[in-house]
Amino acid sequence: MRHPAAAALPDLPLATPITDRAGHRRGPLLIAELVADPATRVLEVATGRARTKGGSALTLRAPEPADAERLALFLGEDREATSYLAVEVEAADDDPQWQGLRALAVALPAEQAGMLVQAVGVFNWHAVHQHCPRCGTQTEVVAAGYTRRCPADGSEHWPRTDPAVIMTVVDDDDRLLLGRHAGWPSGRFSTLAGFVEPGESLESTVRREVLEEVGVRIGEVSYLGSQPWPFPSSIMLGFDSRALTTDLHPDGAEIAEARWFERAELLDLVQRKVVGLSPRLSISRALVEHWYGERLPDPPP
């Protein structure tokens, strides 16, 4: 019998944007207008890191003239019609004021975490897509940071997002299947996941990945929610799936160990630090707790 739980995954970390991305405003003059407006709030990003106030809020500032020469991205506007701009800057690697998204996301207000995810994801794309894939010409940034245009052939290119599925696998006895990645230490477990291949539906990807990684055949697949994951450019699509078989055959390459867990067993192992789950930043933790039926406690220090 299926354990009662919420129908979806609410309030996932990283998944709350500012109120409106306002795509209709992404004209050729927008960045200059925002830099000239002292009411604009600017988020500085340095190689995926941002400066914070005590680690619990992003440091946002007024525009400065140098922003006109920096790689800039219009993030959108909030309910008060305040416009937000992200700019790429340089910062010392050892400066404690600057922290990465993984460290900040859970501590930040949800909308600020969403802003940082948006900025990091697009800047990651700019870093590796500076030349036209058709002719190799250096491209120029247009559309307020969301497009790169080739001046030679006129082609336009947009930020890419790589879809990946991540899923709970539950058998007829309502046990949860978790796996340990080959590079992880003993006791660390997570839900299974994998990238969508061309010409493949999301449901087919769930079935293929579980079969490839642990040898379990999957029947019913149900969508639960999604989470942007800019490490560097993914979106994680969360599913619940029903196992048709239970024998486990980890592939040894990606998955070194796989186990079925009952609820009381998993709770006990987590509390005793025998099993470690993914951090609360990840949709994996939300999927496990969706199956469990409530929030799992963090292990004692």
Side-chain angles (χ1 to χ4, degrees), residues 6 30 32 34 54-55 86 98 114 145 148 163 171 200 205 227 238 249 253 256-257 267 270 280:
L30 179 60
L34 294 178
W98 292 82
R148 298 190 76 100
D171 70 3
E200 188 174 44
T205 306
Q227 179 189 46
H249 303 282
E257 180 184 2
L267 175 62
V270 168
R280 298 200 178 276

Side-chain angles (χ1 to χ4, degrees), residues 8-17 105 110 113-114 223-228 236-238 280-287:
L9 303 177
D11 304 322
L12 285 169
L14 311 184
T16 302
Y223 174 74
L224 294 177
S226 65
Q227 179 189 46
M236 306 303 296
L237 304 157
R280 298 200 178 276
L281 171 64
S282 169
I283 188 176
S284 176
R285 181 61 171 260
L287 285 165

Side-chain angles (χ1 to χ4, degrees), residues 50-53 59 94-99:
R51 188 161 50 194
T52 68
K53 302 174 182 178
T59 298
D94 58 353
D95 189 335
Q97 294 185 74
W98 292 82
Q99 297 184 48

Side-chain angles (χ1 to χ4, degrees), residues 43-63:
L43 168 65
E44 295 181 330
V45 179
T47 58
R49 297 171 298 144
R51 188 161 50 194
T52 68
K53 302 174 182 178
S56 60
L58 294 175
T59 298
L60 301 171
R61 60 165 173 80

Side-chain angles (χ1 to χ4, degrees), residues 158-173:
W158 295 271
R160 62 174 293 170
T161 298
D162 300 321
V165 298
I166 184 167
M167 50 277 183
T168 47
V169 179
V170 181
D171 70 3
D172 287 342
D173 294 324

Side-chain angles (χ1 to χ4, degrees), residues 7-29:
L9 303 177
D11 304 322
L12 285 169
L14 311 184
T16 302
I18 62 174
T19 304
D20 188 355
R21 291 197 178 195
H24 63 283
R25 296 181 59 191
R26 297 174 188 171
L29 302 179

Side-chain angles (χ1 to χ4, degrees), residues 33-180:
E33 293 172 356
L34 294 178
V35 171
D37 184 355
T40 300
R41 297 295 88 190
V42 176
L43 168 65
E44 295 181 330
V45 179
T47 58
R49 297 171 298 144
R51 188 161 50 194
T52 68
K53 302 174 182 178
S56 60
L58 294 175
T59 298
L60 301 171
R61 60 165 173 80
E64 59 187 34
D67 292 334
E69 305 303 321
R70 291 170 171 145
L71 177 60
L73 174 70
F74 173 54
L75 297 174
E77 56 190 30
D78 64 16
R79 296 178 181 84
E80 287 72 43
T82 300
S83 295
Y84 291 84
L85 189 68
V87 296
E88 193 171 60
V89 299
E90 294 184 1
D93 291 339
D94 58 353
D95 189 335
Q97 294 185 74
W98 292 82
Q99 297 184 48
L101 179 58
R102 290 180 188 269
L104 289 175
V106 175
L108 292 175
E111 289 189 354
Q112 288 200 352
M115 289 170 54
L116 185 55
V117 167
Q118 183 180 353
V120 169
V122 178
F123 286 159
N124 283 347
W125 171 75
H126 279 294
V128 294
H129 289 82
Q130 297 183 11
H131 293 84
C132 177
R134 295 181 179 180
C135 68
T137 300
Q138 177 83 31
T139 52
E140 57 188 11
V141 180
V142 296
Y146 284 91
T147 305
R148 298 190 76 100
R149 177 184 295 143
C150 177
D153 62 23
S155 60
E156 294 186 339
H157 310 277
W158 295 271
R160 62 174 293 170
T161 298
D162 300 321
V165 298
I166 184 167
M167 50 277 183
T168 47
V169 179
V170 181
D171 70 3
D172 287 342
D173 294 324
D174 214 16
R175 298 180 301 170
L176 176 68
L177 174 62
L178 297 177
R180 180 175 66 82

Side-chain angles (χ1 to χ4, degrees), residues 217 224 235:
R217 295 192 177 276
L224 294 177
I235 182 166

